[in-house]
């Protein structure tokens, strides 16, 4: 009996000390509501960014991404309406189901279907996402051929010389994307490039490469590998840096490799909307120069001929280097295949 009384007293003292410690212990600082909101917003932004497998457009701008995005929406919708017609929105009719509401499984399936339909209806044909690089906006496309749309826009701007944007600089289509690793890129391009370069099709080509916020990829290695893929698809494919039939555009941002095959890349001033809409000032200057005395004509002609020769020489050297890289790339691919 005495032992029980002592034990009860010990428990009372222990409980009292615990309560006293809890009362005197400083309370944990209550988190501000904005902390939760900020976390949710950060997570939301992270899910709205350029990812592998997406198609769309990479648009470079001049330090004003918000204005660039607004101009892109306006320009893309204007020309998409001409090519594909006005955007159609799918609306699910609100019809009441007369079935027995007691069936829980059917009700749950109906609710899931409604959520899925609502999500699909919110997806637009153009959606701005975080590209992962400054001064670059990525517009994801749905049911749109990016290369066809961009070429259609540039063709019209080149013909009309109408300047329709201020913030947008270059507009590059993204017809495909893969992981930015040397183990993935050649495998992806072997299939991706088939519609343009696989025998019996043949064409002249050049490769344009740009990397942003990525330090583990080598420009020379990527170009060598891609040139090898093109030559491997058909040995009659040739490099041409002056007037190629196709330009392979490779844009790497962080861990995503964006790619497209475009036409008239040089004619449309490297797909620069500002440059392609400019008037032919050089032609006007040439006409003015022709009206000057013959001595000035000779000086101008000699200068133009020297510049042309220099450009041609540089282009020939670059073509030789690229063809050499293509040969090395093809040998590397053959070695990898034989090793496998």
């Amino acid at each position: 009996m005495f032992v029980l009384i002592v034990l009860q007293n010990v428990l009372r003292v222990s409980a009292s000390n615990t309560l006293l410690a809890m009362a005197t212990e400083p309370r944990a600082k209550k988190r501000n509501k904005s902390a939760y909101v900020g976390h949710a917003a950060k997570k939301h932004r992270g899910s709205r960014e350029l990812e592998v497998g997406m198609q769309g457009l990479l648009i470079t701008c001049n330090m004003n991404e918000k204005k660039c995005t607004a101009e892109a929406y306006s320009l893309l919708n204007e020309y998409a309406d001409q090519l594909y017609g006005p955007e159609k929105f799918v609306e699910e009719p609100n019809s009441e189901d007369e079935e027995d509401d007691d069936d829980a499984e059917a009700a749950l399936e109906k609710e899931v279907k409604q959520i899925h339909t609502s999500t699909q209806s919110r997806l637009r044909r153009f959606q701005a996402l975080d590209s992962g690089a400054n001064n670059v906006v990525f517009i994801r496309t749905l049911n749109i051929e990016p290369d066809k749309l961009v070429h259609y826009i540039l063709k019209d701007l080149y013909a009309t010389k109408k300047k329709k944007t201020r913030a947008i600089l270059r507009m590059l289509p993204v017809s495909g994307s893969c992981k930015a690793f040397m183990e993935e890129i050649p495998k992806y391009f072997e299939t991706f490039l088939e519609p343009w370069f696989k025998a019996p099709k043949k064409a002249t080509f050049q490769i344009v490469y740009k990397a942003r916020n990525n330090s583990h990829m080598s420009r020379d290695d990527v170009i060598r590998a891609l040139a090898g893929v093109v030559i491997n698809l058909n040995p009659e494919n040739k490099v041409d840096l002056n007037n190629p039939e196709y330009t392979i555009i490779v844009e790497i941002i962080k861990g995503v490799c964006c790619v497209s095959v475009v036409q008239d890349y040089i004619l449309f001033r490297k797909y620069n909307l500002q440059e392609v809409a400019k008037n032919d000032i050089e032609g006007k200057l040439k006409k003015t120069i022709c009206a000057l005395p013959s001595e000035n004509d000779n000086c101008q002609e000699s200068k133009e001929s020297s510049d042309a020769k220099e450009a041609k020489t540089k282009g020939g050297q670059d073509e030789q280097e690229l063809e050499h890289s293509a040969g090395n790339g093809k040998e590397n691919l053959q070695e990898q295949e034989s090793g496998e």
Side-chain angles (χ1 to χ4, degrees):
M1 188 68 179
F2 177 75
V3 174
L4 291 175
I5 294 173
V6 172
L7 185 59
Q8 289 177 354
N9 292 333
V10 171
L11 290 175
R12 287 196 190 96
V13 172
S14 177
S16 300
N17 293 335
T18 302
L19 292 174
L20 182 62
M22 291 176 61
T24 57
E25 183 179 357
R27 290 186 177 182
K29 186 178 180 180
K30 186 177 180 180
R31 294 184 68 181
N32 193 356
K33 185 179 179 180
S34 61
Y36 297 95
V37 175
H39 177 73
K42 184 177 180 181
K43 183 178 180 181
H44 182 64
R45 285 194 299 270
S47 62
R48 293 168 55 87
E49 61 185 8
L50 172 62
E51 296 178 356
V52 172
M54 288 184 174
Q55 289 185 330
L57 306 100
L58 283 174
I59 303 175
T60 62
C61 60
N62 190 8
M63 303 297 293
N64 195 335
E65 295 184 15
K66 186 176 181 180
K67 185 177 181 180
C68 173
T69 303
E71 288 184 353
Y73 278 143
S74 176
L75 188 70
L76 293 173
N77 280 301
E78 175 187 348
Y79 286 94
D81 288 347
Q82 299 177 21
L83 276 178
Y84 304 98
E87 186 175 9
K88 297 179 181 179
F89 301 94
V90 180
E91 295 183 1
E92 189 74 14
N94 294 327
S95 59
E96 295 183 358
D97 195 352
E98 297 180 356
E99 295 181 358
D100 188 4
D101 293 335
D102 294 337
D103 190 351
E105 184 177 354
L108 180 61
E109 184 178 353
K110 179 182 176 182
E111 184 177 356
V112 171
K113 184 178 179 181
Q114 289 177 347
I115 295 173
H116 179 72
T117 303
S118 177
T119 303
Q120 291 294 328
S121 65
R122 289 196 297 268
L123 295 178
R124 307 290 299 272
R125 62 182 176 183
F126 301 116
Q127 180 65 51
L129 303 179
D130 182 13
S131 67
N134 293 330
N135 299 323
V136 180
V137 176
F138 177 73
I139 305 291
R140 185 187 61 190
T141 59
L142 292 176
N143 303 320
I144 296 288
E145 299 175 85
D147 53 343
K148 181 180 178 181
L149 177 59
V150 175
H151 190 273
Y152 182 77
I153 294 172
L154 289 165
K155 184 178 179 180
D156 182 67
L157 297 179
Y158 181 80
T160 61
K161 299 299 180 183
K162 290 183 178 179
K163 189 174 181 179
K164 296 189 175 183
T165 61
R166 291 179 177 272
I168 296 176
L169 297 179
R170 300 176 69 199
M171 181 176 286
L172 304 175
V174 177
S175 301
S177 54
C178 64
K179 294 181 180 179
F181 295 100
M182 285 306 302
E183 296 81 8
E184 300 287 338
I185 290 179
K187 296 178 182 178
Y188 178 79
F189 273 77
E190 286 176 2
T191 304
F192 178 81
L193 296 176
E194 285 183 356
W196 298 276
F197 300 106
K198 186 176 181 179
K201 295 181 180 179
K202 61 179 181 179
T204 57
F205 71 97
Q206 69 170 345
I207 300 173
V208 177
Y209 175 90
K210 176 71 175 179
R212 296 179 174 88
N213 297 337
N214 182 296
S215 58
H216 68 272
M217 298 296 295
S218 169
R219 176 183 180 276
D220 293 339
D221 291 345
V222 173
I223 291 179
R224 188 181 299 112
L226 298 189
V229 170
V230 175
I231 300 301
N232 195 42
L233 290 174
N234 188 348
E236 295 187 13
N237 293 323
K238 300 297 181 182
V239 176
D240 185 355
L241 302 182
N242 295 321
N243 188 26
E245 295 178 59
Y246 297 109
T247 297
I248 305 172
I249 300 177
V250 180
E251 290 275 340
I252 295 179
I253 301 180
K254 291 186 176 180
V256 182
C257 176
C258 303
V259 61
S260 60
V261 179
V262 301
Q263 294 179 299
D264 301 318
Y265 183 75
I266 296 177
L267 177 65
F268 292 157
R269 310 294 177 87
K270 300 181 179 180
Y271 278 38
N272 188 311
L273 272 62
Q274 304 299 321
E275 295 295 328
V276 80
K278 288 182 177 179
N279 293 324
D280 191 4
I281 301 176
E282 294 180 359
K284 295 180 180 179
L285 290 175
K286 189 174 181 180
K287 291 180 181 179
T288 305
I289 292 171
C290 289
L292 297 176
S294 58
E295 293 182 0
N296 292 335
D297 290 344
N298 294 333
C299 293
Q300 182 66 18
E301 289 176 1
S302 62
K303 184 178 184 300
E304 289 178 355
S305 62
S306 62
D307 292 343
K309 289 179 180 179
E310 183 180 353
K312 187 175 181 181
T313 303
K314 185 178 184 301
Q317 293 175 352
D318 292 341
E319 284 184 16
Q320 291 177 0
E321 292 179 0
L322 188 53
E323 288 177 349
H324 181 67
S325 299
N328 293 338
K330 183 178 179 181
E331 292 177 359
N332 293 336
L333 288 174
Q334 291 175 348
E335 290 178 359
Q336 291 178 1
E337 291 175 358
S338 62
E340 292 176 356

